[in-house]
Amino acid sequence: MSFEIISVVGLGYIGLPTAAVFASRKKKVIGVDVNQTAVDTINRGEIHIIEPDLDMVVHAAVSAGYLRATTRPEAADAFLIAVPTPFKGGHAPDLSYIEAASKAIAPVLKRGDLVILESTSPVGATEQMAAWLAEARSDLTFPQTHGEDSDIRVAHCPERVLPGHVLRELVQNDRVIGGMTPKCSKLAVKLYKTFVEGECVVTSARTAEMCKLTENSFRDVNIAFANELSIICDKLDINVWELIRLANRHPRVNILQPGPGVGGHCIAVDPWFIVSKTPEQAKLIRTAREVNDGKPQWVLDKVRLAVAEYLQENTEKTAKDVTIACFGLAFKPDIDDLRESPAVAITQQVAATHPGPVLAVEPNIEKLSGKLADKLTLYKVEQALAEADVIVLLVDHKEFKDVAKPLLDGHKVVDTRGVWAV
Ligand code: SAJ
């Protein structure tokens, strides 16, 4: 079986780079997305998301005729589903996008096709997807009923790429391939070997699902440990950054870095998929989520304290004379991605509650949009340093690391990333 046509369903942060990389290996790729604007943008050879170098790869793939986007699924030899899996109320996973994608591709499936679920999913989602497909196509057989003899092969191959390095990691990272049967895995390995230079390691669909959740929960728990340490050290008047540097000199200790909370679309979400399946057992994983989700409020309390201290030292002033500058809006350093960013949440909350001026500094973006633009104005680093009384460092961007220490003199500083509090 060779894959002449590959369809990628969901052209977002994972689907679009994956489609483009297949196309760059001269595979005919049909990208499917419900968003007409995204489809039109891609068909013009442009992109609607932020990821270094992706614009060039997509442009080349579309111009060479290997990549085309559409809103309506078409026949293909392999389908990769890369749609969002957010959570709904009570942190329960929302599989409605997977359900919609399965029902959309079902009519064009044919004997011998491979369907891969790439979306980060709770354990059991691949089996559920296969059930939706089987329900829609009683004329075809599926692995859950026909095992190795099924017409359609189904596997889970979670994406594990780091935003900002997606194109490199897609090719270089090892890939966990969880087929519903060994034959399903074998076929999926063959497909990924089109571009994956890392190892394709085979397991079951359920283990592959849990593996992805485990990776992000591991990171979440470790960041929570660092965040909790920062709160403890603050109480004990110990510099947490120095403490972590010292502890990490131990050959078997490697503590991550505290921050204002955990942002992005993966680490703050995926652990809940474990918790919602096994609420009684997942005690540590749940607590880690709560520790990290509680950190922005702790930072806000620190900001209030810094303003109070400033006012104590400057008795002629009132709170509305105090200018606060929030340094950084992105969810992690040196990127321009503001989605699910604790820095944005904190800055918005400061702007909503502080009676004086609040300045936002984000060197990676040109202008603010949406709700942020209503309340805030973007300032350059130097301007903000000149005007602010209280400085809140929220993201460890390189522009902030470059600020000369003497420029901070005379300011109250809340440094959530240890950039200046060395
Ligand atoms: N963070 C800290 N302290 C640290 C490390 C991170 O506070 O020491 C914060 C960051 O500032 C950010 C958040 O955690 O707000 C998440 O950032 P990240 O760089 O840890 O991860 P993501 O969300 O960009 O990407 C993660 C990656 N997972 C792991 O490293 C285990 C990536 O490989 C996954 O593919 C991605 O989630 C995903 O899509 O699931």
Side-chain angles (χ1 to χ4, degrees), residues 308-328:
E309 278 174 15
Y310 180 86
L311 288 174
Q312 259 169 18
E313 290 163 20
N314 298 272
T315 44
E316 76 288 359
K317 294 195 174 174
T318 65
K320 74 175 174 359
D321 307 316
V322 181
T323 301
I324 303 178
C326 294
F327 275 53

Side-chain angles (χ1 to χ4, degrees), residues 192-240:
Y192 281 101
K193 274 296 171 192
T194 310
F195 66 82
V196 171
E197 288 169 10
E199 206 177 318
C200 290
V201 191
V202 168
T203 181
S204 67
R206 290 173 81 85
T207 308
E209 288 161 346
M210 189 61 182
C211 184
K212 169 64 198 257
L213 304 181
T214 300
E215 292 159 12
N216 280 353
S217 297
F218 173 84
R219 197 153 168 84
D220 197 45
V221 168
N222 281 280
I223 298 170
F225 182 77
N227 276 335
E228 185 164 293
L229 267 185
S230 74
I231 296 170
I232 293 169
C233 284
D234 184 66
K235 273 257 177 264
L236 300 178
D237 203 17
I238 288 169
N239 178 331
V240 69

